Amino acid sequence: MKRNAKRIATDAAGYFLIVAGISLGWLPGPGGIPLVLAGLGLLSINNSWAERLRQLLLKHGGRLVKLMFPNNRWVQWLYDLVVVATLITVGILEAQHDALWQISLGIGLFFVALFVALMNRDRLQSLRKHSK
């Protein structure tokens, strides 16, 4: 009985995190994605389908990053210009802060710009190297 209760609680928490991640995904920032991944991690403890899906995402997730951020000088400069333009837009939105949607959009765009800046030119990998 105790083992089944633990399994049911783990699965319920996993499903709850997935539903929370999907329902919060529209909010600015990366809030939905980590919740869905955490829910999938909890579900993979007791369910083989979730374990296979998690392994698939871990195995092929790097391909998507390499496809989105190729090692092309012109594309890298274009991404850098997009980041600068996005940060200028964030500054304008946060300076006006007339409405809640402007503040929320500014925060969301800041996280998008941060993600693009870290993934472009493998900056995240170089930061990890230097931190070791």
Side-chain angles (χ1 to χ4, degrees):
M1 183 70 174
K2 186 177 180 181
R3 180 174 169 254
N4 287 337
K6 185 176 178 181
R7 180 185 172 121
I8 290 170
T10 304
D11 285 352
Y15 285 119
F16 173 76
L17 286 175
I18 289 175
V19 169
I22 292 170
S23 63
L24 296 175
W26 62 274
L27 292 174
I33 295 170
L35 288 176
V36 170
L37 292 176
L40 188 60
L42 282 175
L43 287 172
S44 68
I45 293 172
N46 298 319
N47 300 297
S48 60
W49 64 267
E51 176 65 26
R52 288 190 305 270
L53 180 59
R54 188 176 69 84
Q55 291 298 327
L56 180 77
L57 290 174
L58 289 174
K59 183 178 178 183
H60 298 294
R63 286 187 195 171
L64 180 63
V65 171
K66 288 183 182 180
L67 181 67
M68 288 178 60
F69 299 100
N71 196 9
N72 182 330
R73 187 174 143 204
W74 295 105
V75 174
Q76 290 173 342
W77 278 104
L78 180 65
Y79 273 126
D80 286 340
L81 288 174
V82 167
V83 167
V84 169
T86 304
L87 289 176
I88 290 170
T89 305
V90 167
I92 292 169
L93 286 171
E94 295 303 318
Q96 289 179 351
H97 67 277
D98 290 334
L100 183 61
W101 71 267
Q102 290 176 326
I103 297 169
S104 301
L105 181 63
I107 292 169
L109 286 175
F110 173 76
F111 282 112
V112 168
L114 182 65
F115 172 76
V116 171
L118 286 175
M119 298 308 287
N120 190 22
R121 301 175 192 251
D122 290 329
R123 288 184 179 117
L124 186 61
Q125 295 296 336
S126 64
L127 282 175
R128 286 181 182 166
K129 267 190 222 178
H130 293 315
S131 67
K132 288 182 181 181

